[in-house]
Amino acid sequence: MLENNLAFAQKLDGADPLHGMRNQFHIPRHQGHDEIYLCGNSLGLQPKRTADYVDELLKDWQQMGVKGHFAAKHSWLPYHEFLTEASAQLVGALPQEVICMNSLTVNLHLLMVSFYRPSKERYKILIEDHAFPSDHYAVESQLRFHGLDPKEALVLAKPRAGEDCLRQEDLVELIKREGKQLALVLLPGVQYYTGEVLDMAAISEAGHAVGATVGFDLAHAVGNIVLNLHDWNVDFAAWCSYKYLNSGPGSVAGAFVHEKHLGQTLPRFHGWWGQNKSIRFQMGPEFDPIPTAEAWQLSNPPILSLAAVRASLDTFMAAGGMHPLRKKSLELTGYLRWLLEQELGDAIHVLTPYEPRRHGAQLSLTVKLHGQSAKQVQQKLEDQGVTCDFREPNVMRAAPAPLYNSFEDVWRFVQILKKTAQG
């Protein structure tokens, strides 16, 4: 049975096998105390090993110059390969299916070059209504690039009237209805605004059944929920690494291409880092793509940023990967939701679905506190050492990340929120 008191929260922390992972992160401070940081869905905290990994590169650059490409402890030339195995584990992929490169929207564009090939009969793209703006912009620009009008070629999946989240049966029905004209289904693994987890396996199956290609934006899913992209038969996916992956602001993103597409002749924008490694430095004019997801690379990557990604991935591996983290995440969010119901009742409405399979670490809250908006409440919380975030028009997102957040964090957050609600 759950209890609403500090001693119980501390008891849960004492029994948590992952509680020590918190010590591997730098926690921001507020008036001499650790912040209650519930914003890992926007920017994850810095692992303590990050500085060592980046400093190693800086010293090698300082002492070796260009020779660091081959002679550094972690040579720069193959540096992205040091991230492959852990990245594959986090997204449920084969090593040859993943690559760390570019930024999220760049990767989505590069992948759509290959996987959005409209014809006269099949040309529509399905995304969700209220998609993350960058995704919406990218898809509309792809449609226009192919001479199509988004008003005719863009299909929006919407919640039912009066509801906050998408229903799986409605998504499948929409895919079936648009089937003959549907070229691409591009949806999030976790919807950024509501925190809803979509059934990616079922969506992939439904899309393929009507002849469409299926891709996912995993910005809010990777490092948050257990993924099995290969087994789900997803065609492609892309993600950023600075949210739950804790790799630093604007850090290098990732991409997935299913094994069934590797080695095929696909439309693709080429660059020299996608060239066959055995002949790359012969500098010839003919392009021979690497037979893995690495073929989608364009330029040699920013090594300093990759070092931060490697530090984060090593931290995930030290925690045992996603399965134990997901278990703790469900316990944290379950306790948070229960406390909100106990302390604030109808003053808080949780948009995020209740069922564990349908939510990740994030709970999206609408606030009805004596005329205060969610934005006003979020600012007052920040003044008291609580960091969460706000999204227009009236949603506050709180995301206890299992790598560094505690049950005490969750309990104290709700107590401060209650105090703020009472003015």
Side-chain angles (χ1 to χ4, degrees):
M1 293 289 292
L2 297 176
E3 296 179 21
N4 183 4
N5 57 70
L6 177 59
F8 180 76
Q10 292 173 334
K11 179 182 176 181
L12 291 176
D13 285 328
D16 171 23
L18 293 173
H19 187 61
M21 293 302 301
R22 180 181 176 92
N23 297 325
Q24 296 195 30
F25 286 84
H26 294 287
I27 310 296
R29 305 279 284 178
H30 177 83
Q31 296 181 355
H33 302 281
D34 286 352
E35 274 191 9
I36 300 171
Y37 191 87
L38 302 176
C39 210
N41 59 314
S42 185
L43 180 68
L45 293 182
Q46 183 187 126
K48 289 181 178 177
R49 67 184 74 197
T50 302
D52 291 337
Y53 285 31
V54 174
D55 283 347
E56 175 190 291
L57 287 176
L58 290 173
K59 290 176 182 176
D60 287 340
W61 178 22
Q62 179 188 87
Q63 296 170 6
M64 300 181 188
V66 71
K67 292 185 288 294
H69 282 94
F70 304 95
K73 181 178 179 181
H74 291 90
S75 303
W76 308 337
L77 185 68
Y79 201 97
H80 66 277
E81 297 174 18
F82 302 141
L83 286 60
T84 301
E85 187 63 41
S87 295
Q89 288 186 38
L90 281 184
V91 300
L94 303 177
Q96 62 265 33
E97 295 175 320
V98 298
I99 182 62
C100 292
M101 63 179 187
N102 306 316
S103 60
L104 170 56
T105 306
V106 170
N107 286 343
L108 285 175
H109 274 300
L110 292 175
L111 291 166
M112 280 191 279
V113 167
S114 299
F115 294 106
Y116 175 57
R117 308 303 302 169
S119 66
K120 184 177 180 180
E121 296 78 21
R122 189 181 291 277
Y123 59 91
K124 292 184 178 181
I125 301 179
L126 186 154
I127 64 173
E128 86 274 24
D129 193 34
H130 205 166
F132 190 77
S134 194
D135 288 14
H136 199 124
Y137 306 154
V139 166
E140 284 205 354
S141 67
Q142 286 279 338
L143 291 170
R144 291 193 177 96
F145 178 79
H146 287 282
L148 296 166
D149 184 350
K151 292 180 181 179
E152 298 177 357
L154 184 62
V155 179
L156 296 178
K158 300 181 180 182
R160 296 184 184 183
E163 297 185 359
D164 300 310
C165 296
L166 298 165
R167 292 198 187 192
Q168 180 63 29
E169 61 268 29
D170 294 348
L171 269 176
V172 171
E173 179 58 33
L174 180 59
I175 290 169
K176 289 180 179 178
R177 188 165 67 246
E178 298 288 345
K180 291 183 179 179
Q181 295 181 315
L182 196 58
L184 174 63
V185 176
L186 182 58
L187 291 167
V190 177
Q191 214 283 335
Y192 89 98
Y193 189 75
T194 64
E196 178 186 13
V197 175
L198 300 186
D199 188 338
M200 288 171 267
I203 291 168
S204 182
E205 182 179 2
H208 292 152
V210 299
T213 300
V214 180
F216 288 97
D217 175 345
L218 302 177
H220 289 81
V222 68
N224 179 13
I225 61 173
V226 176
L227 299 166
N228 289 293
L229 299 183
H230 177 84
D231 291 346
W232 293 341
N233 203 24
V234 172
D235 291 298
F236 71 90
W239 57 91
C240 57
S241 67
Y242 50 81
K243 301 180 189 298
Y244 296 102
L245 288 191
N246 314 305
S247 298
S251 195
V252 174
F256 163 90
V257 178
H258 197 280
E259 182 185 37
K260 64 187 177 184
H261 299 298
L262 301 178
Q264 293 190 12
T265 302
L266 291 170
R268 183 171 47 222
F269 288 162
H270 294 159
W272 83 311
W273 225 247
Q275 172 75 314
N276 183 325
K277 297 173 189 177
S278 66
I279 61 172
R280 178 186 290 155
F281 287 96
Q282 293 178 14
M283 305 304 218
E286 299 299 324
F287 184 76
D288 179 18
I290 303 170
T292 72
E294 294 171 286
W296 276 263
Q297 296 175 114
L298 298 180
S299 300
N300 47 320
I303 303 300
L304 294 175
S305 184
L306 285 186
V309 180
R310 184 170 70 89
S312 176
L313 293 174
D314 283 357
T315 304
F316 270 89
M317 295 303 104
M322 277 311 305
H323 287 281
L325 287 167
R326 175 63 168 159
K327 180 178 183 294
K328 178 181 175 181
S329 178
L330 290 173
E331 293 168 354
L332 280 171
T333 49
Y335 191 45
L336 172 57
R337 190 188 290 262
W338 183 81
L339 288 170
L340 290 169
E341 293 170 352
Q342 294 291 309
E343 295 285 20
L344 289 139
D346 293 340
I348 293 287
H349 168 61
V350 181
L351 278 67
T352 311
Y354 178 81
E355 302 92 328
R357 65 182 177 81
R358 295 186 64 208
H359 73 78
Q362 170 187 320
L363 294 185
S364 297
L365 318 173
T366 54
V367 181
K368 298 171 282 185
L369 304 178
H370 303 293
Q372 300 179 82
S373 69
K375 189 172 187 178
Q376 290 170 320
V377 172
Q378 184 260 340
Q379 184 57 60
K380 289 180 179 179
L381 291 173
E382 192 167 300
D383 293 342
Q384 298 173 80
V386 177
T387 298
C388 47
D389 71 358
F390 168 77
R391 288 292 178 266
E392 295 287 356
N394 191 36
V395 165
M396 188 170 65
R397 305 185 303 173
L403 270 173
Y404 50 77
N405 281 124
S406 64
F407 291 91
E408 182 174 342
D409 283 340
V410 166
W411 186 84
R412 290 190 183 278
F413 164 65
V414 176
Q415 299 309 306
I416 295 170
L417 180 59
K418 179 183 178 182
K419 179 182 176 183
T420 302
Q422 295 171 343

